[in-house]
Amino acid sequence: MALPITFEHVDKRYALKSGASLTALSDATLSLREGTFTTIVGPSGCGKSTLLHIAAGLVPYEEGSVRIGDEFVERPNPNVGMMFQSPVMLPWRTVIKNLMLPFELLKLSDEKAYRERAHRMLSTVGIDQFADAYPRELSGGMQQRAALARVLLTSPQVLLLDEPFSALDEFTRESLNMELLSLWAELLPTVCLVTHNISEAVMLSDTIVVMSARPGRIIGEIEVPLPRPRTLEMATEPEFQEIVVEVRDLMRGSSVPAPQGGR
Ligand SMILES: Nc1ncnc2c1ncn2[C@@H]1O[C@H](COP(=O)(O)OP(=O)(O)O)[C@@H](O)[C@H]1O
Ligand SMILES: [Mg+2]
């Protein structure tokens, strides 16, 4: 089960302490079809996290509308899972108890069944032997695996991932990305992932959305026609590299001053 995400003409301004305001998003319009994998790339500070936080119902916006399925986003929605750059584990709880958090927060029923699914999900991401360990006893990669297990356990129809593996070394990141792809193929939520790594975006996505420097506007969408399942070897193929260049050119165009009469 999956739900589409629709942003229409969204403007977001943050009020600064000085009394001034900062425009983080300007006229953002974007549709993510249900069950697809979309990646957002753009320069640092262009409003990528802001866009995800708005979709997650974590921050308000001034203009436009955002919908998950038919519902306007006004508050966090239990059908929407969000994963942050750092794993956000409660340090005083064991891994399994951290995975039980959504069960408690969402006041779900059948604790035993949820706990069993939590253990199965920990096995799927390869860390069930650490179920009773504390987060500090896990490496960064293992903590992110636990965070991924926790968000997938709630069977979200929409999965928002904000640079989920960017703090990890390249090897760990690649392997977690491939695992993410196979879990996505199984559960098929609508995924919106933010990254600043163009190759990662091509490897993962159906569609790559490119944003301009702040105030963030959407300047292009690039379809990735590579077949699935994707493999790491695909990254060496000319077809893959051509898409990397296309995304890079679009991003580069966004960071230099517009020529006379140009965009
Ligand atoms: N809570 C906030 N208050 C004020 N400014 C913010 C806040 N959150 C983000 N910003 C600013 O909004 C802009 C976009 O931020 P963000 O969405 O985090 O960008 P990105 O994720 O693309 O790096 C940045 O200039 C950032 O400094
Ligand atoms: Mg960010």
Side-chain angles (χ1 to χ4, degrees):
M1 267 281 271
L3 293 168
I5 314 174
T6 317
F7 298 88
E8 282 180 327
H9 307 294
V10 175
D11 284 358
K12 169 67 191 171
R13 289 182 289 277
Y14 288 108
L16 301 178
K17 284 203 185 86
S18 63
S21 83
L22 178 149
T23 304
L25 289 175
S26 169
D27 197 22
T29 294
L30 180 64
S31 285
L32 285 72
R33 277 171 291 119
E34 62 249 48
T36 57
F37 200 123
T38 301
T39 300
I40 299 181
V41 296
S44 186
C46 75
K48 304 181 294 298
S49 296
T50 298
L51 202 64
L52 288 197
H53 293 164
I54 287 174
L58 298 173
V59 298
Y61 50 97
E62 279 68 46
E63 298 283 339
S65 67
V66 184
R67 279 172 293 150
I68 303 280
D70 295 330
E71 233 176 277
F72 288 100
V73 174
E74 282 162 354
R75 61 185 70 85
N77 173 338
N79 295 318
V80 177
M82 169 107 200
M83 194 172 153
F84 301 89
Q85 193 169 347
S86 55
V88 207
M89 291 275 143
L90 298 180
W92 58 89
R93 282 184 166 229
T94 60
V95 168
I96 187 72
K97 288 211 165 128
N98 269 287
L99 263 69
M100 294 304 288
L101 265 179
F103 175 87
E104 294 166 28
L105 295 172
L106 299 171
K107 300 190 171 61
L108 303 177
S109 58
D110 203 347
E111 183 171 349
K112 186 161 171 277
Y114 199 92
R115 189 182 304 275
E116 281 169 10
R117 283 210 302 124
H119 279 290
R120 275 204 303 280
M121 191 58 88
L122 283 176
S123 305
T124 305
V125 300
I127 55 164
D128 194 37
Q129 70 274 37
F130 292 95
D132 296 318
Y134 286 90
R136 64 173 180 276
E137 301 174 82
L138 272 59
S139 69
M142 291 194 291
Q143 289 191 36
Q144 280 301 57
R145 281 168 197 269
L148 182 61
R150 181 175 59 190
V151 71
L152 290 174
L153 252 183
T154 62
S155 308
Q157 296 175 358
V158 166
L159 187 54
L160 307 170
L161 305 169
D162 194 358
E163 307 199 34
F165 309 134
S166 67
L168 306 176
D169 65 86
E170 196 169 334
F171 179 75
T172 308
R173 192 179 67 212
E174 275 184 350
S175 79
L176 276 173
N177 272 333
M178 298 323 276
E179 280 179 42
L180 172 64
L181 278 187
S182 72
L183 286 163
W184 167 69
E186 212 174 291
L187 306 167
L188 279 187
T190 308
V191 176
C192 185
L193 179 141
V194 164
T195 181
H196 51 250
N197 185 317
I198 299 176
S199 296
E200 179 172 277
V202 177
M203 179 56 78
L204 296 174
S205 328
D206 297 314
T207 307
I208 300 173
V209 174
V210 180
M211 288 179 66
S212 70
R214 192 166 59 79
R217 287 178 306 109
I218 287 154
I219 52 172
E221 287 184 35
I222 293 173
E223 297 297 321
V224 181
L226 301 172
R228 291 190 186 273
R230 304 270 167 87
T231 61
L232 290 174
E233 290 70 44
M234 285 181 181
T236 58
E237 290 167 15
E239 223 187 329
F240 187 103
Q241 290 305 325
E242 277 164 26
I243 306 168
V244 169
V245 170
E246 196 182 341
V247 176
R248 190 172 293 146
D249 285 351
L250 197 52
M251 282 183 76
R252 209 171 270 147
S254 78
S255 57
V256 296
Q260 211 81 43
R263 187 163 47 206

